[in-house]
């Protein structure tokens, strides 16, 4: 029996079903006064969710790249520091890290800042920093940044190590500096390996951003919690919350897959 062609066997029927369900739910929400009200309330938190996710991901990627480069450096001490950071941070649940940064790390940072700037404060050049001056939103962002930077650093490390050593040696023979080798040879090739798992981390961060609701940050989940607590419409509220998150995460996953395919085609050409 002849095997089905790749185009037919790989057709994303799951996506057709998912889009059909999403459209049906959207129509139902638009025609129901109750669900329209729930959606309008929950949608107020989309901006905060997107803001927290994007800022935390950009910062985590920058820190993660730095940690990865430290782990691949020629200095034994830098490698040990990088490994210590990665193993310790990855061993702490994101929710626990969120509480620790919010209620331990932030007060410690404020105390340290006030101690360092005491001369400036006594002269009137700076005012005293209070714990309440560090918003819960930024405490949540820093917790997610620190937590995800450890995972992202491993993604960068694996991608950089996947580049053939022969090309690096050839670049050395041409007289390129370490920075030039990384910018011109290593990173452009490593990005093809890095992009898929990095995209997965971004999607995961969208979902984990819901944890900031435990601090009262007005994201999608928090807005849903507030509405459900006041109306006792738990089924309707959390169904809409799940629907909004699915739209965000599935949409991002599809966009990242399209970008990955485009990069692969460019490489093959």
């Amino acid at each position: 029996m002849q095997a089905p062609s790749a185009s037919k066997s790989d057709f994303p029927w799951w996506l057709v079903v998912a889009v059909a369900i999403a459209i049906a739910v959207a129509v139902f929400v638009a025609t129901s006064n109750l669900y329209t009200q729930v959606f309008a309330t929950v949608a107020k938190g989309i901006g905060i969710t997107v803001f927290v996710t994007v800022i935390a991901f950009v910062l985590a990627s920058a820190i993660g790249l730095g940690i990865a480069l430290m782990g691949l450096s020629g200095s034994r001490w830098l490698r040990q520091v990088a490994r210590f950071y990665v193993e310790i941070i990855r061993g702490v649940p994101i929710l626990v890290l969120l509480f620790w940064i919010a209620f331990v790390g932030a007060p410690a940072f404020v105390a340290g800042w006030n101690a360092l700037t005491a001369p400036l404060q006594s002269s009137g050049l700076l005012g005293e920093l209070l714990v309440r001056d560090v918003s819960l939103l930024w405490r949540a962002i820093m917790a997610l940044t620190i937590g995800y930077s450890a995972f992202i650093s491993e993604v960068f490390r694996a991608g950089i190590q996947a580049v053939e050593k022969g090309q690096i040696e050839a670049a050395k023979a041409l007289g390129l500096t370490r920075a030039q080798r990384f910018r011109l040879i290593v990173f452009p090739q490593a990005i093809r390996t890095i992009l898929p798992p990095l995209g997965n981390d971004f999607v995961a961060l969208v979902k984990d951003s819901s944890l900031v609701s435990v601090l009262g940050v007005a994201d999608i989940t928090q807005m849903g919690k507030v509405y459900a607590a006041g109306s006792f419409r738990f089924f309707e509220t959390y169904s809409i919350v799940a629907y909004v998150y699915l739209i965000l995460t599935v949409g991002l996953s599809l966009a990242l897959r399209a970008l990955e395919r485009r990069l692969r085609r460019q490489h093959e050409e």
Side-chain angles (χ1 to χ4, degrees):
M1 183 175 64
Q2 186 178 4
S5 63
S7 59
K8 293 182 179 180
S9 61
D10 293 339
F11 187 81
W13 290 108
W14 70 270
L15 181 59
V16 174
V17 174
V19 170
I21 294 174
I23 293 174
V25 172
V27 172
F28 178 75
V29 169
T31 55
S32 170
N33 291 332
L34 173 60
Y35 279 93
T36 299
Q37 185 179 6
V38 175
F39 182 82
T41 302
V42 170
K44 295 177 182 177
I46 293 178
I48 293 295
T49 293
V50 172
F51 178 78
V52 168
T53 302
V54 171
I55 298 300
F57 184 77
V58 170
L59 294 176
S61 297
I63 295 173
L65 178 58
I67 296 296
L69 294 177
M70 287 174 59
L72 297 173
S73 69
S75 170
R76 179 179 62 183
W77 295 109
L78 287 179
R79 293 197 303 269
Q80 292 297 319
V81 170
R83 180 49 51 188
F84 176 83
Y85 179 89
V86 170
E87 297 300 334
I88 295 300
I89 297 300
R90 289 198 307 176
V92 180
I94 296 294
L95 183 58
V96 175
L97 186 62
L98 192 70
F99 283 131
W100 195 92
I101 293 297
F103 302 116
V104 179
F109 169 78
V110 170
W113 174 264
N114 287 331
L116 289 174
T117 60
L120 295 176
Q121 292 179 17
S122 61
S123 62
L125 295 177
L126 280 179
E128 181 182 5
L129 182 65
L130 302 177
V131 175
R132 64 172 178 266
D133 293 332
V134 183
S135 69
L136 290 173
L137 173 65
W138 282 102
R139 299 186 207 187
I141 289 174
M142 290 312 302
L144 292 174
T145 296
I146 293 171
Y148 267 82
S149 64
F151 293 96
I152 291 176
S153 70
E154 290 294 275
V155 172
F156 279 116
R157 180 188 60 79
I160 293 171
Q161 288 182 323
V163 178
E164 294 181 7
K165 293 184 178 180
Q167 299 192 35
I168 300 176
E169 295 298 327
K172 288 182 180 179
L174 292 173
L176 272 66
T177 64
R178 188 181 184 90
Q180 289 175 328
R181 293 196 301 270
F182 179 78
R183 181 170 57 88
L184 300 175
I185 305 298
V186 177
F187 192 75
Q189 297 184 65
I191 191 63
R192 290 191 295 270
T193 304
I194 291 169
L195 186 60
L198 195 63
N200 291 337
D201 281 340
F202 184 65
V203 174
L205 184 55
V206 173
K207 294 183 290 184
D208 279 346
S209 68
S210 62
L211 295 175
V212 306
S213 63
V214 301
L215 299 180
V217 177
D219 71 325
I220 294 171
T221 304
Q222 177 65 12
M223 297 305 295
K225 286 168 60 179
V226 171
Y227 185 88
S231 65
F232 296 99
R233 295 285 187 174
F234 295 100
F235 174 80
E236 295 86 350
T237 301
Y238 288 112
S239 295
I240 292 296
V241 169
Y243 175 72
V244 172
Y245 275 113
L246 280 171
I247 293 298
L248 291 175
T249 55
V250 174
L252 282 171
S253 296
L254 293 175
L256 290 168
R257 288 182 186 179
L259 178 59
E260 182 185 346
R261 287 194 298 269
R262 180 178 178 181
L263 291 176
R264 189 184 300 115
R265 286 196 301 266
Q266 289 178 349
H267 176 61
E268 292 173 352
E269 293 174 357

